Amino acid sequence: MESIDDYRAHILTVLRAACDANGNPKLTEKQALELSNELNDNELMDGMPYNTPEEVAELLLDSGLE
């Protein structure tokens, strides 16, 4: 099992790589960092057994928290 830091880093990597239909980044670096920190460690740990980092990143992108 990944550590919480590795899990959060993986989420950030996915957020940084997210692009729109034209291949443009969906988020700035600052937005990606802020979005990756929207969930605290306890919230991430609760979801780790059930959600991949990719799924969490997608949920954060869809949530409009950026």
Side-chain angles (χ1 to χ4, degrees):
M1 179 184 253
E2 287 183 285
S3 74
I4 193 69
D5 291 333
D6 290 341
Y7 190 77
R8 186 180 299 281
H10 194 148
I11 292 168
L12 180 57
T13 298
V14 175
L15 291 172
R16 285 177 175 147
C19 294
D20 64 17
N22 296 321
N24 299 314
K26 286 187 176 182
L27 303 169
T28 65
E29 178 67 17
K30 181 181 177 195
Q31 289 171 320
L33 282 168
E34 288 174 359
L35 206 52
S36 72
N37 287 313
E38 283 292 326
L39 299 172
N40 66 41
D41 287 353
N42 287 334
E43 290 169 323
L44 287 179
M45 286 191 314
D46 288 346
M48 283 175 71
Y50 310 104
N51 301 294
T52 66
E54 292 82 4
E55 291 169 332
V56 174
E58 190 63 35
L59 289 169
L60 288 169
L61 284 167
D62 290 344
S63 70
L65 294 174
E66 60 212 68

Short mmCIF file of all heavy atoms in Angstrom, two decimals:
data_model
loop_
_atom_site.label_atom_id
_atom_site.label_comp_id
_atom_site.label_asym_id
_atom_site.label_seq_id
_atom_site.Cartn_x
_atom_site.Cartn_y
_atom_site.Cartn_z
N MET A 1 0.84 -1.18 0.00
CA MET A 1 0.00 0.00 0.00
C MET A 1 0.89 1.25 0.00
O MET A 1 1.91 1.30 0.66
CB MET A 1 -0.91 0.00 1.23
CG MET A 1 -1.80 1.22 1.31
SD MET A 1 -2.79 1.26 2.80
CE MET A 1 -4.36 0.86 2.10
N GLU A 2 0.48 2.24 -0.77
CA GLU A 2 1.21 3.49 -0.85
C GLU A 2 1.12 4.25 0.46
O GLU A 2 0.12 4.15 1.17
CB GLU A 2 0.61 4.40 -1.93
CG GLU A 2 0.87 4.00 -3.34
CD GLU A 2 0.29 5.01 -4.32
OE1 GLU A 2 -0.93 5.03 -4.50
OE2 GLU A 2 1.08 5.77 -4.89
N SER A 3 2.14 5.05 0.74
CA SER A 3 2.05 5.96 1.88
C SER A 3 1.13 7.11 1.49
O SER A 3 0.88 7.35 0.31
CB SER A 3 3.43 6.50 2.26
OG SER A 3 3.86 7.46 1.32
N ILE A 4 0.64 7.84 2.48
CA ILE A 4 -0.25 8.96 2.20
C ILE A 4 0.47 10.02 1.37
O ILE A 4 -0.13 10.63 0.47
CB ILE A 4 -0.83 9.55 3.51
CG1 ILE A 4 -1.99 10.50 3.21
CG2 ILE A 4 0.22 10.24 4.33
CD1 ILE A 4 -3.21 9.85 2.68
N ASP A 5 1.76 10.22 1.61
CA ASP A 5 2.53 11.20 0.84
C ASP A 5 2.68 10.76 -0.62
O ASP A 5 2.55 11.57 -1.53
CB ASP A 5 3.91 11.43 1.45
CG ASP A 5 3.84 12.17 2.79
OD1 ASP A 5 2.87 12.92 3.01
OD2 ASP A 5 4.75 11.97 3.61
N ASP A 6 2.92 9.48 -0.83
CA ASP A 6 3.02 8.96 -2.20
C ASP A 6 1.68 9.05 -2.91
O ASP A 6 1.62 9.38 -4.10
CB ASP A 6 3.50 7.50 -2.20
CG ASP A 6 4.96 7.36 -1.78
OD1 ASP A 6 5.70 8.37 -1.83
OD2 ASP A 6 5.34 6.25 -1.39
N TYR A 7 0.63 8.74 -2.20
CA TYR A 7 -0.73 8.79 -2.76
C TYR A 7 -1.07 10.22 -3.18
O TYR A 7 -1.54 10.47 -4.30
CB TYR A 7 -1.70 8.28 -1.70
CG TYR A 7 -3.11 8.03 -2.16
CD1 TYR A 7 -3.43 6.90 -2.90
CD2 TYR A 7 -4.14 8.90 -1.81
CE1 TYR A 7 -4.74 6.64 -3.29
CE2 TYR A 7 -5.45 8.66 -2.19
CZ TYR A 7 -5.75 7.52 -2.93
OH TYR A 7 -7.05 7.27 -3.31
N ARG A 8 -0.79 11.20 -2.31
CA ARG A 8 -1.05 12.61 -2.61
C ARG A 8 -0.18 13.07 -3.79
O ARG A 8 -0.64 13.79 -4.68
CB ARG A 8 -0.80 13.49 -1.39
CG ARG A 8 -1.21 14.94 -1.61
CD ARG A 8 -0.95 15.81 -0.39
NE ARG A 8 -1.69 15.40 0.79
CZ ARG A 8 -2.97 15.67 1.01
NH1 ARG A 8 -3.66 16.34 0.12
NH2 ARG A 8 -3.56 15.26 2.12
N ALA A 9 1.08 12.64 -3.83
CA ALA A 9 1.97 13.01 -4.92
C ALA A 9 1.47 12.45 -6.25
O ALA A 9 1.55 13.11 -7.29
CB ALA A 9 3.39 12.52 -4.64
N HIS A 10 0.93 11.24 -6.22
CA HIS A 10 0.38 10.62 -7.42
C HIS A 10 -0.84 11.41 -7.90
O HIS A 10 -1.01 11.65 -9.10
CB HIS A 10 0.02 9.17 -7.12
CG HIS A 10 -0.24 8.34 -8.33
ND1 HIS A 10 0.04 7.01 -8.39
CD2 HIS A 10 -0.77 8.65 -9.55
CE1 HIS A 10 -0.31 6.54 -9.58
NE2 HIS A 10 -0.81 7.53 -10.30
N ILE A 11 -1.69 11.84 -6.99
CA ILE A 11 -2.85 12.67 -7.33
C ILE A 11 -2.37 13.96 -7.99
O ILE A 11 -2.91 14.37 -9.03
CB ILE A 11 -3.71 12.98 -6.08
CG1 ILE A 11 -4.38 11.70 -5.58
CG2 ILE A 11 -4.75 14.06 -6.38
CD1 ILE A 11 -5.01 11.82 -4.21
N LEU A 12 -1.35 14.59 -7.42
CA LEU A 12 -0.82 15.83 -7.97
C LEU A 12 -0.27 15.60 -9.39
O LEU A 12 -0.50 16.43 -10.28
CB LEU A 12 0.26 16.41 -7.06
CG LEU A 12 0.91 17.71 -7.52
CD1 LEU A 12 -0.11 18.81 -7.74
CD2 LEU A 12 1.97 18.14 -6.51
N THR A 13 0.40 14.50 -9.60
CA THR A 13 0.93 14.18 -10.93
C THR A 13 -0.20 14.08 -11.95
O THR A 13 -0.09 14.61 -13.07
CB THR A 13 1.73 12.87 -10.89
OG1 THR A 13 2.84 13.04 -10.01
CG2 THR A 13 2.23 12.46 -12.26
N VAL A 14 -1.28 13.43 -11.56
CA VAL A 14 -2.44 13.29 -12.46
C VAL A 14 -3.06 14.65 -12.72
O VAL A 14 -3.43 14.98 -13.87
CB VAL A 14 -3.46 12.30 -11.88
CG1 VAL A 14 -4.72 12.24 -12.74
CG2 VAL A 14 -2.85 10.90 -11.76
N LEU A 15 -3.20 15.47 -11.70
CA LEU A 15 -3.77 16.81 -11.87
C LEU A 15 -2.92 17.66 -12.80
O LEU A 15 -3.43 18.38 -13.66
CB LEU A 15 -3.93 17.51 -10.52
CG LEU A 15 -5.00 16.94 -9.59
CD1 LEU A 15 -4.91 17.60 -8.22
CD2 LEU A 15 -6.39 17.10 -10.18
N ARG A 16 -1.60 17.58 -12.64
CA ARG A 16 -0.70 18.34 -13.51
C ARG A 16 -0.81 17.91 -14.96
O ARG A 16 -0.64 18.73 -15.87
CB ARG A 16 0.75 18.15 -13.05
CG ARG A 16 1.12 18.88 -11.82
CD ARG A 16 2.55 18.57 -11.43
NE ARG A 16 3.00 19.35 -10.30
CZ ARG A 16 3.86 18.90 -9.40
NH1 ARG A 16 4.34 17.67 -9.49
NH2 ARG A 16 4.23 19.67 -8.40
N ALA A 17 -1.08 16.64 -15.19
CA ALA A 17 -1.15 16.10 -16.55
C ALA A 17 -2.51 16.28 -17.21
O ALA A 17 -2.65 16.05 -18.41
CB ALA A 17 -0.79 14.61 -16.52
N ALA A 18 -3.51 16.69 -16.45
CA ALA A 18 -4.87 16.82 -16.99
C ALA A 18 -4.92 17.89 -18.08
O ALA A 18 -4.46 19.02 -17.88
CB ALA A 18 -5.85 17.17 -15.87
N CYS A 19 -5.47 17.52 -19.23
CA CYS A 19 -5.58 18.43 -20.37
C CYS A 19 -7.02 18.48 -20.87
O CYS A 19 -7.78 17.52 -20.70
CB CYS A 19 -4.68 17.97 -21.51
SG CYS A 19 -2.93 18.05 -21.13
N ASP A 20 -7.35 19.59 -21.52
CA ASP A 20 -8.67 19.71 -22.12
C ASP A 20 -8.68 19.03 -23.50
O ASP A 20 -7.68 18.43 -23.90
CB ASP A 20 -9.12 21.17 -22.19
CG ASP A 20 -8.26 22.03 -23.10
OD1 ASP A 20 -7.50 21.49 -23.93
OD2 ASP A 20 -8.34 23.26 -22.97
N ALA A 21 -9.77 19.15 -24.21
CA ALA A 21 -9.93 18.49 -25.51
C ALA A 21 -8.90 18.98 -26.54
O ALA A 21 -8.58 18.26 -27.49
CB ALA A 21 -11.34 18.71 -26.04
N ASN A 22 -8.38 20.18 -26.35
CA ASN A 22 -7.39 20.74 -27.27
C ASN A 22 -5.95 20.45 -26.84
O ASN A 22 -5.02 20.93 -27.46
CB ASN A 22 -7.59 22.25 -27.40
CG ASN A 22 -8.92 22.59 -28.02
OD1 ASN A 22 -9.37 21.92 -28.94
ND2 ASN A 22 -9.55 23.64 -27.52
N GLY A 23 -5.80 19.71 -25.76
CA GLY A 23 -4.46 19.37 -25.28
C GLY A 23 -3.83 20.42 -24.39
O GLY A 23 -2.65 20.33 -24.06
N ASN A 24 -4.61 21.42 -24.01
CA ASN A 24 -4.11 22.46 -23.12
C ASN A 24 -4.28 22.03 -21.67
O ASN A 24 -5.28 21.40 -21.33
CB ASN A 24 -4.87 23.77 -23.35
CG ASN A 24 -4.70 24.29 -24.75
OD1 ASN A 24 -3.61 24.33 -25.28
ND2 ASN A 24 -5.80 24.66 -25.38
N PRO A 25 -3.33 22.39 -20.82
CA PRO A 25 -3.47 22.03 -19.39
C PRO A 25 -4.75 22.61 -18.81
O PRO A 25 -5.11 23.75 -19.10
CB PRO A 25 -2.25 22.67 -18.74
CG PRO A 25 -1.29 22.91 -19.85
CD PRO A 25 -2.11 23.14 -21.08
N LYS A 26 -5.43 21.78 -18.01
CA LYS A 26 -6.65 22.25 -17.36
C LYS A 26 -6.34 23.16 -16.17
O LYS A 26 -7.16 23.99 -15.80
CB LYS A 26 -7.50 21.06 -16.86
CG LYS A 26 -8.20 20.30 -17.95
CD LYS A 26 -9.12 19.27 -17.35
CE LYS A 26 -9.91 18.56 -18.44
NZ LYS A 26 -10.83 17.57 -17.86
N LEU A 27 -5.18 22.95 -15.56
CA LEU A 27 -4.83 23.67 -14.34
C LEU A 27 -3.44 24.28 -14.44
O LEU A 27 -2.55 23.72 -15.08
CB LEU A 27 -4.83 22.71 -13.14
CG LEU A 27 -6.11 21.94 -12.84
CD1 LEU A 27 -5.83 20.86 -11.81
CD2 LEU A 27 -7.19 22.87 -12.37
N THR A 28 -3.26 25.41 -13.76
CA THR A 28 -1.92 25.95 -13.58
C THR A 28 -1.25 25.12 -12.48
O THR A 28 -1.92 24.35 -11.77
CB THR A 28 -1.96 27.42 -13.15
OG1 THR A 28 -2.57 27.50 -11.86
CG2 THR A 28 -2.72 28.28 -14.16
N GLU A 29 0.03 25.30 -12.31
CA GLU A 29 0.74 24.60 -11.24
C GLU A 29 0.12 24.94 -9.88
O GLU A 29 -0.10 24.07 -9.04
CB GLU A 29 2.22 24.95 -11.27
CG GLU A 29 3.04 24.32 -10.16
CD GLU A 29 3.16 22.80 -10.26
OE1 GLU A 29 2.90 22.23 -11.33
OE2 GLU A 29 3.51 22.18 -9.24
N LYS A 30 -0.17 26.22 -9.68
CA LYS A 30 -0.76 26.66 -8.41
C LYS A 30 -2.12 26.00 -8.19
O LYS A 30 -2.40 25.53 -7.09
CB LYS A 30 -0.89 28.19 -8.40
CG LYS A 30 -1.48 28.72 -7.12
CD LYS A 30 -1.62 30.23 -7.15
CE LYS A 30 -2.27 30.70 -5.85
NZ LYS A 30 -2.74 32.05 -5.93
N GLN A 31 -2.95 25.96 -9.22
CA GLN A 31 -4.27 25.34 -9.09
C GLN A 31 -4.14 23.84 -8.79
O GLN A 31 -4.89 23.31 -7.96
CB GLN A 31 -5.08 25.53 -10.38
CG GLN A 31 -5.54 26.95 -10.60
CD GLN A 31 -6.14 27.14 -11.98
OE1 GLN A 31 -5.64 26.61 -12.97
NE2 GLN A 31 -7.23 27.90 -12.05
N ALA A 32 -3.21 23.18 -9.45
CA ALA A 32 -3.01 21.74 -9.21
C ALA A 32 -2.59 21.49 -7.77
O ALA A 32 -3.11 20.59 -7.11
CB ALA A 32 -1.97 21.18 -10.19
N LEU A 33 -1.67 22.32 -7.26
CA LEU A 33 -1.23 22.17 -5.87
C LEU A 33 -2.38 22.42 -4.90
O LEU A 33 -2.56 21.66 -3.94
CB LEU A 33 -0.08 23.13 -5.57
CG LEU A 33 1.29 22.72 -6.07
CD1 LEU A 33 2.27 23.89 -5.97
CD2 LEU A 33 1.80 21.52 -5.31
N GLU A 34 -3.14 23.48 -5.14
CA GLU A 34 -4.26 23.79 -4.26
C GLU A 34 -5.30 22.68 -4.28
O GLU A 34 -5.81 22.28 -3.23
CB GLU A 34 -4.89 25.13 -4.66
CG GLU A 34 -4.03 26.32 -4.32
CD GLU A 34 -4.58 27.63 -4.84
OE1 GLU A 34 -5.64 27.64 -5.51
OE2 GLU A 34 -3.94 28.67 -4.58
N LEU A 35 -5.59 22.19 -5.46
CA LEU A 35 -6.60 21.14 -5.59
C LEU A 35 -6.13 19.84 -4.92
O LEU A 35 -6.91 19.15 -4.27
CB LEU A 35 -6.91 20.91 -7.07
CG LEU A 35 -8.26 20.35 -7.43
CD1 LEU A 35 -9.41 21.12 -6.80
CD2 LEU A 35 -8.44 20.30 -8.93
N SER A 36 -4.84 19.54 -5.05
CA SER A 36 -4.32 18.31 -4.43
C SER A 36 -4.36 18.37 -2.92
O SER A 36 -4.31 17.35 -2.25
CB SER A 36 -2.89 18.03 -4.91
OG SER A 36 -1.98 18.94 -4.35
N ASN A 37 -4.46 19.59 -2.37
CA ASN A 37 -4.51 19.75 -0.92
C ASN A 37 -5.92 19.98 -0.39
O ASN A 37 -6.09 20.27 0.79
CB ASN A 37 -3.60 20.91 -0.50
CG ASN A 37 -2.15 20.53 -0.60
OD1 ASN A 37 -1.74 19.47 -0.15
ND2 ASN A 37 -1.36 21.39 -1.21
N GLU A 38 -6.93 19.87 -1.25
CA GLU A 38 -8.32 20.06 -0.83
C GLU A 38 -8.74 19.00 0.20
O GLU A 38 -9.56 19.26 1.06
CB GLU A 38 -9.28 20.01 -2.02
CG GLU A 38 -9.30 21.27 -2.84
CD GLU A 38 -9.89 22.45 -2.10
OE1 GLU A 38 -10.81 22.28 -1.29
OE2 GLU A 38 -9.42 23.57 -2.35
N LEU A 39 -8.20 17.80 0.07
CA LEU A 39 -8.54 16.72 1.00
C LEU A 39 -7.41 16.56 2.01
O LEU A 39 -6.24 16.53 1.64
CB LEU A 39 -8.75 15.41 0.24
CG LEU A 39 -9.88 15.43 -0.79
CD1 LEU A 39 -9.87 14.15 -1.61
CD2 LEU A 39 -11.23 15.62 -0.11
N ASN A 40 -7.78 16.47 3.28
CA ASN A 40 -6.75 16.30 4.30
C ASN A 40 -6.30 14.83 4.34
O ASN A 40 -6.88 13.97 3.69
CB ASN A 40 -7.22 16.81 5.67
CG ASN A 40 -8.36 16.02 6.25
OD1 ASN A 40 -8.40 14.78 6.17
ND2 ASN A 40 -9.31 16.71 6.85
N ASP A 41 -5.24 14.57 5.09
CA ASP A 41 -4.68 13.22 5.14
C ASP A 41 -5.70 12.18 5.59
O ASP A 41 -5.75 11.08 5.05
CB ASP A 41 -3.46 13.18 6.07
CG ASP A 41 -2.24 13.85 5.46
OD1 ASP A 41 -2.28 14.24 4.27
OD2 ASP A 41 -1.24 13.99 6.19
N ASN A 42 -6.53 12.52 6.58
CA ASN A 42 -7.53 11.56 7.07
C ASN A 42 -8.54 11.23 5.98
O ASN A 42 -8.94 10.07 5.83
CB ASN A 42 -8.23 12.09 8.31
CG ASN A 42 -7.35 12.04 9.53
OD1 ASN A 42 -6.43 11.24 9.62
ND2 ASN A 42 -7.60 12.93 10.48
N GLU A 43 -8.98 12.24 5.24
CA GLU A 43 -9.94 12.00 4.16
C GLU A 43 -9.32 11.12 3.08
O GLU A 43 -9.98 10.20 2.56
CB GLU A 43 -10.39 13.33 3.54
CG GLU A 43 -11.26 14.15 4.48
CD GLU A 43 -11.49 15.57 4.00
OE1 GLU A 43 -10.56 16.19 3.44
OE2 GLU A 43 -12.61 16.06 4.22
N LEU A 44 -8.06 11.38 2.75
CA LEU A 44 -7.39 10.54 1.75
C LEU A 44 -7.22 9.11 2.25
O LEU A 44 -7.46 8.16 1.51
CB LEU A 44 -6.03 11.13 1.38
CG LEU A 44 -6.05 12.39 0.52
CD1 LEU A 44 -4.63 12.87 0.26
CD2 LEU A 44 -6.78 12.15 -0.80
N MET A 45 -6.81 8.95 3.51
CA MET A 45 -6.60 7.61 4.06
C MET A 45 -7.90 6.82 4.06
O MET A 45 -7.90 5.62 3.78
CB MET A 45 -6.01 7.67 5.47
CG MET A 45 -4.55 8.05 5.46
SD MET A 45 -3.66 7.85 7.03
CE MET A 45 -4.74 8.56 8.23
N ASP A 46 -9.01 7.49 4.35
CA ASP A 46 -10.31 6.80 4.34
C ASP A 46 -10.65 6.27 2.95
O ASP A 46 -11.25 5.21 2.82
CB ASP A 46 -11.43 7.74 4.81
CG ASP A 46 -11.38 8.03 6.30
OD1 ASP A 46 -10.67 7.31 7.03
OD2 ASP A 46 -12.05 8.99 6.74
N GLY A 47 -10.27 7.01 1.92
CA GLY A 47 -10.61 6.62 0.56
C GLY A 47 -9.59 5.76 -0.14
O GLY A 47 -9.90 5.13 -1.16
N MET A 48 -8.38 5.69 0.38
CA MET A 48 -7.30 4.96 -0.29
C MET A 48 -7.66 3.51 -0.64
O MET A 48 -7.32 3.06 -1.73
CB MET A 48 -6.01 5.01 0.54
CG MET A 48 -5.28 6.32 0.42
SD MET A 48 -3.84 6.45 1.51
CE MET A 48 -2.69 5.31 0.73
N PRO A 49 -8.33 2.78 0.25
CA PRO A 49 -8.64 1.39 -0.11
C PRO A 49 -9.66 1.26 -1.25
O PRO A 49 -9.79 0.20 -1.85
CB PRO A 49 -9.22 0.80 1.19
CG PRO A 49 -8.82 1.73 2.27
CD PRO A 49 -8.68 3.08 1.64
N TYR A 50 -10.37 2.33 -1.53
CA TYR A 50 -11.49 2.26 -2.47
C TYR A 50 -11.27 3.04 -3.77
O TYR A 50 -11.95 2.77 -4.76
CB TYR A 50 -12.77 2.79 -1.81
CG TYR A 50 -13.02 2.17 -0.47
CD1 TYR A 50 -12.77 2.89 0.69
CD2 TYR A 50 -13.45 0.86 -0.35
CE1 TYR A 50 -12.98 2.31 1.94
CE2 TYR A 50 -13.66 0.28 0.88
CZ TYR A 50 -13.42 1.01 2.03
OH TYR A 50 -13.61 0.44 3.26
N ASN A 51 -10.36 4.02 -3.75
CA ASN A 51 -10.17 4.90 -4.90
C ASN A 51 -8.70 4.99 -5.29
O ASN A 51 -7.85 5.21 -4.44
CB ASN A 51 -10.66 6.32 -4.58
CG ASN A 51 -12.11 6.35 -4.20
OD1 ASN A 51 -12.97 6.06 -5.01
ND2 ASN A 51 -12.40 6.67 -2.95
N THR A 52 -8.45 4.87 -6.59
CA THR A 52 -7.09 5.07 -7.08
C THR A 52 -6.79 6.57 -7.06
O THR A 52 -7.70 7.39 -7.04
CB THR A 52 -6.94 4.55 -8.52
OG1 THR A 52 -7.75 5.36 -9.39
CG2 THR A 52 -7.32 3.09 -8.63
N PRO A 53 -5.51 6.93 -7.09
CA PRO A 53 -5.17 8.35 -7.17
C PRO A 53 -5.80 9.01 -8.41
O PRO A 53 -6.22 10.17 -8.36
CB PRO A 53 -3.65 8.36 -7.25
CG PRO A 53 -3.24 7.10 -6.56
CD PRO A 53 -4.31 6.11 -6.91
N GLU A 54 -5.88 8.27 -9.50
CA GLU A 54 -6.49 8.79 -10.72
C GLU A 54 -7.97 9.11 -10.51
O GLU A 54 -8.47 10.15 -10.97
CB GLU A 54 -6.34 7.79 -11.88
CG GLU A 54 -4.93 7.60 -12.36
CD GLU A 54 -4.10 6.61 -11.54
OE1 GLU A 54 -4.64 5.98 -10.60
OE2 GLU A 54 -2.90 6.49 -11.82
N GLU A 55 -8.65 8.24 -9.79
CA GLU A 55 -10.08 8.48 -9.50
C GLU A 55 -10.26 9.70 -8.61
O GLU A 55 -11.17 10.52 -8.82
CB GLU A 55 -10.70 7.25 -8.85
CG GLU A 55 -10.84 6.07 -9.79
CD GLU A 55 -11.20 4.78 -9.09
OE1 GLU A 55 -10.86 4.59 -7.90
OE2 GLU A 55 -11.82 3.93 -9.74
N VAL A 56 -9.41 9.85 -7.61
CA VAL A 56 -9.50 11.00 -6.71
C VAL A 56 -9.22 12.28 -7.49
O VAL A 56 -9.94 13.28 -7.34
CB VAL A 56 -8.52 10.86 -5.52
CG1 VAL A 56 -8.51 12.12 -4.67
CG2 VAL A 56 -8.90 9.65 -4.67
N ALA A 57 -8.20 12.27 -8.35
CA ALA A 57 -7.89 13.45 -9.15
C ALA A 57 -9.07 13.82 -10.04
O ALA A 57 -9.42 15.00 -10.16
CB ALA A 57 -6.64 13.20 -9.99
N GLU A 58 -9.70 12.83 -10.65
CA GLU A 58 -10.86 13.09 -11.51
C GLU A 58 -12.01 13.68 -10.70
O GLU A 58 -12.67 14.62 -11.15
CB GLU A 58 -11.30 11.80 -12.20
CG GLU A 58 -12.31 12.02 -13.28
CD GLU A 58 -11.82 12.86 -14.44
OE1 GLU A 58 -10.65 12.76 -14.80
OE2 GLU A 58 -12.62 13.64 -14.99
N LEU A 59 -12.23 13.16 -9.52
CA LEU A 59 -13.29 13.71 -8.65
C LEU A 59 -12.98 15.16 -8.29
O LEU A 59 -13.88 16.01 -8.28
CB LEU A 59 -13.42 12.86 -7.38
CG LEU A 59 -14.03 11.48 -7.54
CD1 LEU A 59 -13.87 10.66 -6.27
CD2 LEU A 59 -15.49 11.58 -7.92
N LEU A 60 -11.74 15.45 -7.99
CA LEU A 60 -11.36 16.82 -7.65
C LEU A 60 -11.54 17.75 -8.85
O LEU A 60 -12.06 18.85 -8.70
CB LEU A 60 -9.90 16.87 -7.16
CG LEU A 60 -9.65 16.26 -5.78
CD1 LEU A 60 -8.15 16.12 -5.52
CD2 LEU A 60 -10.31 17.09 -4.70
N LEU A 61 -11.16 17.28 -10.02
CA LEU A 61 -11.35 18.09 -11.23
C LEU A 61 -12.83 18.35 -11.50
O LEU A 61 -13.23 19.45 -11.85
CB LEU A 61 -10.72 17.40 -12.45
CG LEU A 61 -9.21 17.46 -12.53
CD1 LEU A 61 -8.70 16.48 -13.59
CD2 LEU A 61 -8.75 18.86 -12.86
N ASP A 62 -13.63 17.32 -11.31
CA ASP A 62 -15.08 17.44 -11.57
C ASP A 62 -15.79 18.27 -10.52
O ASP A 62 -16.88 18.78 -10.76
CB ASP A 62 -15.73 16.05 -11.63
CG ASP A 62 -15.33 15.28 -12.87
OD1 ASP A 62 -14.80 15.89 -13.83
OD2 ASP A 62 -15.53 14.05 -12.88
N SER A 63 -15.19 18.41 -9.34
CA SER A 63 -15.85 19.10 -8.24
C SER A 63 -15.88 20.61 -8.43
O SER A 63 -16.64 21.30 -7.76
CB SER A 63 -15.15 18.78 -6.91
OG SER A 63 -13.88 19.40 -6.87
N GLY A 64 -15.03 21.11 -9.32
CA GLY A 64 -15.01 22.55 -9.57
C GLY A 64 -14.33 23.34 -8.46
O GLY A 64 -14.57 24.54 -8.32
N LEU A 65 -13.50 22.70 -7.69
CA LEU A 65 -12.84 23.39 -6.58
C LEU A 65 -11.65 24.22 -7.05
O LEU A 65 -11.08 24.96 -6.28
CB LEU A 65 -12.34 22.36 -5.54
CG LEU A 65 -13.43 21.60 -4.81
CD1 LEU A 65 -12.82 20.52 -3.93
CD2 LEU A 65 -14.26 22.55 -3.97
N GLU A 66 -11.30 24.10 -8.30
CA GLU A 66 -10.15 24.82 -8.80
C GLU A 66 -10.43 26.29 -8.82
O GLU A 66 -9.69 27.16 -8.73
CB GLU A 66 -9.77 24.33 -10.20
CG GLU A 66 -10.92 24.54 -11.11
CD GLU A 66 -11.00 23.48 -12.18
OE1 GLU A 66 -11.28 22.32 -11.87
OE2 GLU A 66 -10.79 23.83 -13.33
#
